[in-house]
């Protein structure tokens, strides 16, 4: 029963992963697709970063930096050139406010590492790196889905063989019981 339950759960997981990874078809008309506004996105993220600099909250500042990386990944999927522009503007903001950030973050390695990841390389290199990471993650997910399908099939086959074996044993036991009852 556990094997069947595992197989069902694996198939449900496969169903969810296959449904959640669909991408919209590209629009035929460029006017239909909403344009990404780099200035608005930069203004939004820099205001969030500024709030955390003023509040001197390293943990929340780190969380905002994580959203920057997620936003970059999102933009890369739509337009890598806009992603480069976004990264460049965020880098400028971080460089301009480096002294203020160091004043409250100090030796916080996590915040320093996040800032270094965003400012140490040119915008092109960051976008290229994240773009390849997004592609590698997609490949890993596809591989995991295939592995899960194979494992589910193996478990289903094992369950089928076990059921056949138990049915055969039950038939043999019934035949032996009938033979004993008949005195054979």
């Amino acid at each position: 029963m556990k094997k069947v339950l595992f197989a069902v759960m694996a198939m449900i997981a496969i169903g969810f992963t296959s449904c959640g990874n669909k991408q919209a078809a590209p629009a035929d008309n460029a006017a239909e697709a909403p344009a990404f506004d780099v200035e608005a996105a930069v203004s939004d993220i820099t205001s969030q970063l500024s709030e955390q600099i003023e509040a001197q909250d390293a943990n929340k500042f780190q969380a905002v930096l994580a959203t920057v990386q997620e936003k970059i990944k999102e933009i890369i999927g739509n337009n890598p050139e806009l992603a480069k522009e976004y990264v460049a503007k965020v880098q400028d903001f971080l460089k301009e406010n480096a002294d203020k950030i160091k004043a409250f973050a100090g030796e916080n390695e996590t915040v320093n590492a996040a800032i270094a990841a965003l400012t140490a390389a040119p915008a092109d290199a960051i976008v290229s790196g994240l773009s390849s990471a997004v592609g590698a993650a997609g490949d890993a997910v596809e591989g995991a889905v295939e592995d899960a399908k194979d494992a589910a099939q193996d478990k289903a086959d094992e369950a089928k063989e076990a059921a056949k074996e138990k049915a055969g044993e039950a038939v043999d036991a019934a035949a032996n019981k009938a033979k004993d009852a008949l005195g054979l």
Side-chain angles (χ1 to χ4, degrees):
M1 186 68 182
K2 288 182 183 179
K3 292 179 181 179
V4 173
L5 180 62
F6 176 74
V8 170
M9 295 301 290
M11 294 306 291
I12 290 171
I14 291 169
F16 282 126
T17 57
S18 66
C19 290
N21 198 15
K22 293 183 181 175
Q23 295 181 355
D28 291 337
N29 188 354
E32 292 176 12
F36 178 75
D37 187 2
V38 174
E39 293 300 323
V42 169
S43 175
D44 180 49
I45 202 68
T46 55
S47 68
Q48 290 179 36
L49 290 169
S50 294
E51 287 176 18
Q52 300 315 315
I53 291 171
E54 294 299 319
Q56 296 188 356
D57 188 341
N59 291 330
K60 289 184 181 177
F61 188 81
Q62 178 185 349
V64 174
L65 288 175
T67 62
V68 169
Q69 289 186 336
E70 291 303 315
K71 188 67 170 181
I72 294 167
K73 291 176 186 175
E74 177 186 323
I75 300 168
I76 288 171
N78 297 325
N79 188 335
E81 290 303 315
L82 291 178
K84 291 176 189 175
E85 183 179 344
Y86 178 80
V87 170
K89 291 184 180 194
V90 171
Q91 284 178 332
D92 290 343
F93 175 83
L94 291 173
K95 289 175 184 175
E96 289 171 6
N97 293 288
D99 292 336
K100 292 178 185 176
I101 295 168
K102 285 182 182 180
F104 76 89
E107 297 299 317
N108 187 326
E109 290 299 319
T110 310
V111 171
N112 291 333
I115 291 172
L118 288 171
T119 59
D124 293 347
I126 291 173
V127 170
S128 297
L130 287 175
S131 179
S132 64
V134 167
D139 293 343
V141 167
E142 287 177 17
V145 167
E146 289 301 317
D147 291 345
K149 284 181 184 178
D150 292 343
Q153 185 62 42
D154 290 345
K155 290 294 182 182
D157 290 344
E158 287 176 16
K160 190 187 302 183
E161 289 301 317
K164 284 181 184 178
E165 187 176 310
K166 286 188 179 202
E169 289 173 2
V171 168
D172 290 342
N176 289 336
K177 199 174 198 180
K179 284 180 186 179
D180 289 342
L182 293 173
L184 297 173

